[in-house]
C-alpha cells in the first residue's frame, strides 16, 4: 500500500522507469491513462501518480481527476484486459491518486491499438525492435539446455570434464561420481541429452577451437586500465574456452594488482584488500551464468586501480530490477546455473548478489552499483576504496557487544542510514530489529541516525548532536522567535526553512499547528504572498482559510 511516507520519498527522487508523475489538477485523459499503464507494465510495472508535478523540485498540487475510482480501473481493464490498483491519499497540500501497475505477463508486451509503448523521458514512444524481441524471447525454453547439433563430445576438454567431476563430487559428497564414464557423468548432469552436446556444456567445458566454432560469443575479455582514457588497455586477455578451464586464472589476474588498504583500530592496524575475492568471483559468476547467449558480444571484466567493472550482454532476467536484485531469483540459463550449483559456485537465493553487497558494506566500501544497466546489458561496478573504516569498526563492535549477526538486509539499512538516504519500504522489519538492538536511533517521524555509540567510537560526538538535531519543542520555539522578530511584516515559508533547513515545508507546517490553534501565530495573505505573523489573527484575517504554498 502507498502511504504519505512513500509520497515524501518520491517528492525528492528523480523520476525513473517505475514512477510517472502528472499534475492533473482537474482531470486526466482516459487514453493517456491506458497508454501510461501499458508503458509502465511493459517496463516491469510501477506507479502513475496524479496530483504531483513532474519537474524537480516536485510539489503536491492536488488532483480532482477520477472522483469515482472504479471508472478508470474499468477503462484499463476493458482496453488492456489487465487489472491495476487505484488508491487515493489526502496530503496536506491536496488529493493524490496513485495507479499501481503490475508487470506485464512473461513474454507478452502490452499494446494499445497495435502500438507497443515504452517511456522515453517524459514522452511515450514505440518500443524498439530489439526490446520487443527480448520480451517475446522470455517465453522460449532455456537456451543453455538446447543442444548444439553440430557439436560432439570430442569438442569438450577432457581436463575440464575431470574438473567438473571433482567439483561435483566435493559439493555432493557422492563418491560414486568418481567411477562414472565421462559420457554418463555429463548425461547425469544433463549436459548431454541422448549424446548431444548442450550449449551449457560448451560454455563450461568446450575447447578453445570448439567454442570459437559453435558459440564464439561465450567468451570473457579481461582488461586492466590505469585510467578512463580511451585506447589500448595496459593488459588484455581473451578467454574463449570452457569457463571451468580459466575461472581461477581470471581471479589470479585481478589479484596481481590487488593492493591492501590499512586502517587503524586503537593500537592495531588492519588491512582490507581493494578487491574482495568472494565479491569479485560472485560478480563474474553472475555475468557468465545470467547473460543472454543469444546475443552477440562478450562479457567484459575491466579492472582499474580501485574499481572493477563487469559488463554482460542482455538486460536483467525477467522480474529482476536494480531495486529487487538482492532478493529476486530468475535465472535466465537454468541448466547452466544448475551445473554451476553442482560445482558449489552458485547456491544462494540472491544469486550471489547478496554476498557482494554484504562484503562491500562490511568493508566500508560503496555498495555494488548496477545503475547503468539497461535492456541491452547489465553493468556492475565494484568500488574498492575503503571510504569509512570507522563504520567497519562500528559493525564489529555492535555485533560483538550484542551477540548479533547482521543479515545483508540489516547491513543495507545501516548503509542507507549512514549515507542519510531514505530506507526502502521493504526493509521496515529489519529497521525495527536495528532499532531494538540500538544500532540505529529514530529522530522525529521520518529521520534516522546511527546510534550515539558510533559517533563516540569515531571521536565525533558533536556530529551526533548535529545529526540528531533539536527536539520538537525547541525547533518550534526557534520558529516562533523568528516570526516574532519579523514583526508585522511577517515571515515567509522560505525564511522559516532557512531557520530549520533540515525540515520540509510540511514538517514546519506541522510544528506550527499547535501554536496556530493557540492563536500565538496566524497567516496573512495567500500562496506565494503568505506570511506567518506573531499573535492572533485580527479582523478579516481571522476568518480566512489560506493556503500558504508558493
Amino acid at each position: 500500500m502507498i502511504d504519505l511516507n512513500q509520497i515524501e520519498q518520491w517528492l525528492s527522487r528523480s523520476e525513473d522507469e517505475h514512477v510517472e508523475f502528472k499534475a492533473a489538477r482537474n482531470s486526466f485523459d482516459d487514453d493517456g491513462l491506458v497508454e501510461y499503464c501499458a508503458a509502465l507494465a511493459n517496463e516491469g510495472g510501477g506507479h502513475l501518480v496524479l496530483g504531483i508535478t513532474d519537474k524537480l523540485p516536485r510539489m503536491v498540487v492536488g488532483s480532482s481527476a477520477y472522483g469515482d475510482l472504479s471508472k478508470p480501473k474499468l477503462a484499463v481493464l476493458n482496453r488492456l484486459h489487465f487489472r491495476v490498483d487505484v488508491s487515493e491519499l489526502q496530503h496536506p497540500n491536496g488529493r493524490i491518486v496513485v495507479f499501481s501497475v503490475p508487470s506485464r505477463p512473461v513474454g507478452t508486451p502490452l499494446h494499445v491499438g497495435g502500438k507497443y509503448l515504452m517511456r522515453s523521458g517524459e514522452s511515450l514512444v514505440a518500443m524498439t525492435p530489439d526490446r520487443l524481441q527480448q520480451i517475446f524471447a522470455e517465453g522460449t525454453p532455456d537456451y543453455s539446455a538446447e543442444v548444439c547439433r553440430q557439436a560432439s563430445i570430442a569438442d569438450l576438454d577432457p581436463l575440464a570434464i575431470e574438473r567438473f567431476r571433482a567439483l561435483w563430487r566435493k559439493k555432493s559428497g557422492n563418491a560414486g561420481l568418481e567411477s562414472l564414464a565421462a559420457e554418463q557423468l555429463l548425461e547425469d548432469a544433463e549436459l548431454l541429452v541422448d549424446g548431444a552436446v548442450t550449449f551449457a556444456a560448451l560454455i563450461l567445458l568446450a575447447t578453445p577451437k570448439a567454442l570459437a566454432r559453435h558459440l564464439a560469443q561465450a567468451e570473457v575479455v579481461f582488461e586492466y586500465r590505469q585510467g578512463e582514457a580511451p585506447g589500448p588497455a595496459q593488459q588484455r586477455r581473451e578467454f574463449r574456452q570452457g569457463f571451468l578451464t580459466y575461472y581461477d586464472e581470471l581471479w589470479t589476474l585481478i589479484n596481481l594488482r590487488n593492493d591492501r588498504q590499512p586502517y587503524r583500530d586503537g593500537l592495531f592496524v588492519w588491512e582490507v584488500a581493494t578487491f574482495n575475492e568472494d565479491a569479485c568471483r560472485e560478480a563474474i559468476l553472475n555475468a557468465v551464468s545470467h547473460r543472454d547467449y543469444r546475443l552477440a558480444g562478450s562479457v567484459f571484466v575491466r579492472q582499474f586501480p580501485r574499481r572493477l567493472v563487469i559488463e554482460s550482454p542482455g538486460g536483467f532476467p525477467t522480474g529482476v530490477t536494480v531495486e529487487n536484485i538482492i532478493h529476486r531469483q530468475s535465472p535466465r540459463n537454468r541448466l547452466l546455473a544448475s551445473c554451476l550449483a553442482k560445482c558449489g559456485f552458485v547456491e544462494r537465493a540472491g544469486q550471489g548478489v547478496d554476498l557482494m553487497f554484504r562484503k562491500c558494506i562490511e568493508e566500508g566500501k560503496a555498495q555494488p552499483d548496477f545503475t547503468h544497466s539497461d535492456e541491452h546489458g547489465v553493468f556492475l561496478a565494484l568500488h574498492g576504496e575503503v571510504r569509512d573504516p570507522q563504520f567497519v569498526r562500528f559493525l564489529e563492535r555492535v555485533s560483538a557487544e550484542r551477540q548479533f549477526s547482521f543479515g545483508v538486509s540489516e547491513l543495507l539499512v545501516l548503509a542507507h542510514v549512514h549515507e542519510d538516504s531514505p530506507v526502502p519500504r521493504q526493509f521496515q522489519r529489519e529497521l525495527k530489529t536495528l532499532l531494538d538492538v540500538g544500532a540505529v536511533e529514530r529522530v522525529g517521524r521520518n529521520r534516522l541516525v546511527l546510534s550515539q555509540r558510533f559517533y563516540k567510537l569515531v571521536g565525533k560526538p558533536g556530529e551526533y548532536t548535529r545529526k540528531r538535531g533539536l527536539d520538537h519543542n525547541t525547533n518550534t520555539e526557534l520558529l516562533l522567535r523568528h516570526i516574532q522578530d519579523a514583526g508585522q511584516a511577517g515571515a515567509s515559508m522560505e525564511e522559516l526553512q532557512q531557520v530549520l533547513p533540515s525540515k520540509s515545508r510540511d514538517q514546519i507546517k506541522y510544528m506550527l499547528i499547535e501554536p496556530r490553534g493557540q492563536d500565538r501565530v496566524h497567516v496573512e495573505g495567500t500562496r506565494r504572498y503568505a506570511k506567518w505573523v506573531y499573535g492572533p489573527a485580527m479582523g478579516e484575517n481571522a476568518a480566512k482559510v489560506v493556503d500558504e504554498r508558493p
Side-chain angles (χ1 to χ4, degrees):
M1 294 293 294
I2 304 301
D3 57 20
L4 291 179
N5 287 332
Q6 179 64 73
I7 296 297
E8 288 297 325
Q9 293 182 27
W10 279 342
L11 288 175
S12 59
R13 191 175 73 181
S14 298
E15 194 172 70
D16 61 22
E17 70 272 21
H18 301 294
V19 187
E20 178 77 31
F21 300 97
K22 297 295 178 184
R25 288 178 171 86
N26 300 312
S27 63
F28 196 70
D29 179 61
D30 283 350
D31 290 338
L33 170 66
V34 172
E35 290 180 348
Y36 272 106
C37 287
L40 286 166
N42 284 336
E43 293 160 357
H47 299 89
L48 173 64
V49 185
L50 307 184
I52 297 180
T53 59
D54 57 354
K55 300 287 188 182
L56 289 173
R58 203 165 285 124
M59 294 178 58
V60 176
V61 295
S63 173
S64 58
Y66 301 122
D68 182 356
L69 297 183
S70 64
K71 291 183 178 180
K73 289 180 66 174
L74 185 60
V76 174
L77 180 62
N78 288 339
R79 299 275 297 277
L80 297 179
H81 309 290
F82 187 79
R83 294 184 183 275
V84 300
D85 291 327
V86 191
S87 57
E88 63 179 354
L89 296 92
Q90 298 301 329
H91 188 274
N93 292 343
R95 174 177 176 262
I96 298 172
V97 180
V98 182
F99 292 85
S100 298
V101 183
S103 178
R104 55 174 173 73
V106 174
T108 307
L110 299 183
H111 67 87
V112 180
K115 296 186 297 183
Y116 295 95
L117 298 170
M118 66 183 205
R119 294 189 309 145
S120 177
E122 299 177 13
S123 303
L124 293 178
V125 299
M127 298 190 77
T128 58
D130 57 340
R131 180 60 184 143
L132 272 175
Q133 183 180 4
Q134 289 177 0
I135 293 175
F136 287 127
E138 292 170 358
T140 61
D142 173 14
Y143 180 78
S144 69
E146 295 181 11
V147 299
C148 179
R149 297 297 178 184
Q150 296 78 28
S152 70
I153 194 170
D155 289 317
L156 306 182
D157 186 334
L159 293 178
I161 295 174
E162 292 309 309
R163 175 157 174 73
F164 176 71
R165 183 198 305 274
L167 290 169
W168 189 7
R169 177 183 175 181
K170 180 180 178 181
K171 175 66 167 62
S172 67
N174 182 3
L177 295 174
E178 191 65 36
S179 60
L180 291 179
E183 291 86 349
Q184 187 61 53
L185 178 79
L186 299 181
E187 287 277 358
D188 290 352
E190 301 181 14
L191 290 170
L192 293 184
V193 179
D194 297 330
V197 175
T198 64
F199 285 108
L202 291 173
I203 294 164
L204 293 174
L205 309 171
T207 64
K209 185 179 293 185
L211 201 61
R213 184 167 62 249
H214 301 304
L215 197 63
Q217 65 266 37
E219 72 170 356
V220 174
V221 178
F222 170 81
E223 292 182 348
Y224 176 76
R225 294 179 175 272
Q226 292 180 345
E228 301 288 347
Q234 281 67 43
Q235 183 181 10
R236 179 183 171 97
R237 284 286 305 277
E238 298 177 359
F239 295 98
R240 188 178 291 177
Q241 59 199 74
F243 180 68
L244 293 185
T245 67
Y246 67 83
Y247 176 58
D248 288 328
E249 185 179 353
L250 183 53
W251 164 248
T252 300
L253 284 174
I254 296 170
N255 202 34
L256 284 174
R257 302 178 179 89
N258 191 9
D259 64 333
R260 305 188 69 83
Q261 302 172 55
Y263 74 92
R264 181 176 294 278
D265 184 4
L267 298 176
F268 300 97
V269 176
W270 305 96
E271 292 184 335
V272 174
T274 295
F275 301 106
N276 180 279
E277 180 177 357
D278 290 338
C280 292
R281 285 184 179 270
E282 290 291 350
I284 294 167
L285 276 169
N286 270 277
V288 171
S289 180
H290 301 294
R291 65 151 290 179
D292 191 340
Y293 284 97
R294 294 165 300 188
L295 302 178
S298 307
V299 171
F300 280 87
V301 179
R302 296 186 175 95
Q303 182 182 4
F304 299 86
R306 290 290 170 90
R307 182 164 52 98
L308 192 73
V309 179
I310 299 176
E311 174 186 347
S312 56
F316 290 120
T318 304
V320 177
T321 65
V322 172
E323 292 79 15
N324 68 14
I325 192 169
I326 295 178
H327 305 292
R328 180 66 59 85
Q329 184 177 14
S330 180
R332 176 178 276 125
N333 305 294
R334 291 185 176 275
L335 177 58
L336 180 58
S338 173
C339 291
L340 288 169
K342 286 181 171 65
C343 295
F345 289 157
V346 179
E347 54 186 343
R348 297 174 181 82
Q351 308 168 34
V353 176
D354 56 347
L355 181 92
M356 284 188 273
F357 275 84
R358 170 183 287 280
K359 293 297 182 182
C360 290
I361 295 171
E362 286 180 340
E363 294 182 348
K365 301 171 183 175
Q367 297 177 34
D369 184 2
F370 289 92
T371 54
H372 291 92
S373 301
D374 55 26
E375 67 269 23
H376 305 292
V378 174
F379 296 80
L380 166 61
L382 294 176
H383 297 275
E385 188 76 36
V386 179
R387 302 184 305 171
D388 194 347
Q390 290 88 356
F391 184 60
V392 179
R393 293 166 57 198
F394 171 68
L395 296 178
E396 293 171 347
R397 294 285 178 86
V398 173
S399 182
E401 290 174 7
R402 295 302 180 96
Q403 297 294 299
F404 178 76
S405 179
F406 291 110
V408 66
S409 296
E410 282 91 9
L411 290 171
L412 279 168
V413 172
L414 286 169
H416 278 289
V417 174
H418 186 38
E419 296 164 4
D420 286 327
S421 61
V423 175
R425 289 170 54 82
Q426 65 265 33
F427 295 129
Q428 294 307 304
R429 181 169 57 85
E430 291 82 1
L431 175 58
K432 183 180 184 303
T433 299
L434 293 172
L435 288 166
D436 290 343
V437 301
V440 169
E441 297 177 13
R442 192 181 292 279
V443 181
R445 190 170 57 177
N446 296 319
R447 282 199 66 221
L448 298 159
V449 296
L450 294 180
S451 68
Q452 188 174 18
R453 78 178 72 181
F454 169 73
Y455 295 96
K456 287 183 177 179
L457 180 67
V458 301
K460 297 180 179 179
E463 185 173 345
Y464 168 79
T465 302
R466 179 183 65 80
K467 280 181 172 286
R468 185 169 180 84
L470 303 173
D471 60 34
H472 176 83
N473 291 335
T474 305
N475 280 328
T476 302
E477 289 302 320
L478 283 174
L479 294 174
L480 293 175
R481 186 183 306 167
H482 180 81
I483 294 170
Q484 185 176 23
D485 290 345
Q488 290 304 307
S492 67
M493 179 57 70
E494 286 73 17
E495 291 179 38
L496 299 181
Q497 286 187 284
Q498 293 171 14
V499 175
L500 298 177
S502 65
K503 303 296 182 182
S504 68
R505 300 173 66 90
D506 289 336
Q507 288 173 324
I508 290 175
K509 292 178 190 177
Y510 179 78
M511 283 187 279
L512 291 173
I513 288 176
E514 184 176 353
R516 189 175 182 180
Q518 298 170 343
D519 283 338
R520 298 178 66 189
V521 294
H522 67 278
V523 181
E524 294 183 0
T526 60
R527 300 183 69 82
R528 71 179 60 193
Y529 303 107
K531 300 284 187 178
W532 288 85
V533 181
Y534 198 78
M538 304 297 291
E540 65 177 14
N541 287 326
K544 285 185 177 180
V545 177
V546 299
D547 179 0
E548 62 272 19
R549 291 172 293 162

